[in-house]
């Protein structure tokens, strides 16, 4: 089963192109008492997941769920419960891609209250592994630059509750 972009976005084809270009996949999960969970996905979701387009909605769900990193199952399950309670929720977790290996996924969604046969949650899905790698490289480069400054530099995080914590102290500062 496939999912299509729906809603009042104007030109649906334009919206789908934007999502595809951003490598953001769409998904929808239906939960009905006494039935296997069903997951409907769009083409971008299939590409992100390395998923066969010929899977049934029930097989889609199993394919996705069984590849969640075991240490992240609890947080994914908790996030799905929040979504099912009509709360927008987001989660990042590790997922075992069939060809790429371990990837980092960002997923967000909420309940579709128009669905009356059970619970339907729907949202977006994105592989953020590359983004995380880029941020790590930028941080490492910035630390090299800051360490090269003869004077010292310290980056201190200040929380709204007044708590402070050093995040980075350059060699010159130390």
């Amino acid at each position: 089963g496939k999912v299509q972009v729906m809603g009042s976005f104007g030109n649906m084809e334009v919206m789908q192109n934007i999502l595809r270009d951003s490598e953001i996949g769409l998904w929808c999960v239906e939960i009905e008492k006494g039935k296997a969970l069903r997951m409907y996905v769009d083409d971008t979701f299939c590409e992100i997941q390395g998923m066969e387009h010929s899977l049934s909605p029930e097989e889609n769900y199993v394919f996705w769920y069984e590849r969640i990193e075991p240490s992240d199952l609890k947080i994914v399950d908790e996030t799905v419960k929040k979504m099912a309670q009509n709360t927008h929720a987001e989660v990042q977790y590790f997922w075992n891609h069939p060809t790429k290996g371990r990837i980092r996924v960002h997923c967000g969604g909420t309940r579709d209250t128009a669905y009356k046969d059970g619970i339907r949650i729907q949202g977006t899905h994105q592989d953020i592994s590359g983004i995380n790698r880029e941020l790590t490289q930028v941080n490492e480069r910035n630390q090299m630059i800051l360490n090269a400054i003869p004077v010292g530099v310290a980056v201190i995080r200040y929380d709204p509750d007044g708590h402070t914590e050093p995040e980075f102290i350059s060699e010159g500062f130390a």
Side-chain angles (χ1 to χ4, degrees):
K2 285 190 176 182
V3 65
Q4 297 291 318
V5 176
M6 296 177 203
S8 55
F9 296 113
N11 186 330
M12 291 300 118
E13 190 176 335
V14 169
M15 181 55 77
Q16 283 197 292
N17 288 339
I18 291 168
L19 290 170
R20 186 176 52 253
D21 291 347
S22 303
E23 297 180 340
I24 296 173
L26 299 176
W27 58 267
C28 167
V29 172
E30 294 176 348
I31 306 163
E32 289 182 41
K33 197 169 188 163
K35 293 186 177 181
L37 284 96
R38 297 180 304 275
M39 177 181 256
Y40 299 91
V41 297
D42 71 352
D43 290 340
T44 306
F45 186 99
C46 288
E47 289 166 22
I48 292 169
Q49 301 291 106
M51 181 184 272
E52 295 291 325
H53 291 270
S54 59
L55 297 178
S56 71
E58 294 81 6
E59 291 168 327
N60 284 342
Y61 183 82
V62 171
F63 182 94
W64 166 74
Y65 192 80
E66 286 185 344
R67 287 173 170 75
I68 297 169
E69 190 79 17
S71 60
D72 287 338
L73 275 173
K74 184 178 178 188
I75 193 165
V76 170
D77 287 340
E78 288 170 359
T79 304
V80 168
K81 284 180 188 166
K82 286 179 187 174
M83 291 175 188
Q85 294 166 354
N86 202 21
T87 302
H88 176 80
E90 296 186 21
V91 65
Q92 290 184 13
Y93 61 93
F94 286 104
W95 192 81
N96 295 299
H97 191 281
T99 57
K100 296 179 183 177
R102 192 171 185 235
I103 64 172
R104 184 93 172 145
V105 170
H106 178 267
C107 177
T110 193
R111 185 171 181 168
D112 174 3
T113 54
Y115 186 74
K116 302 297 180 198
D117 294 333
I119 295 173
R120 175 189 285 153
I121 56 175
Q122 57 193 13
T124 60
H125 186 93
Q126 186 176 25
D127 177 357
I128 59 169
S129 305
I131 296 167
N132 286 342
R133 275 192 295 271
E134 288 171 21
L135 287 174
T136 300
Q137 290 170 345
V138 166
N139 284 336
E140 287 171 356
R141 190 180 69 240
N142 289 345
Q143 287 181 6
M144 278 178 33
I145 292 167
L146 292 174
N147 278 329
I149 298 172
V151 202
V153 176
V155 177
I156 310 294
R157 183 179 70 228
Y158 181 77
D159 293 332
D161 64 2
H163 177 74
T164 59
E165 188 173 327
E167 289 196 348
F168 173 77
I169 297 175
S170 73
E171 292 168 6
F173 187 90

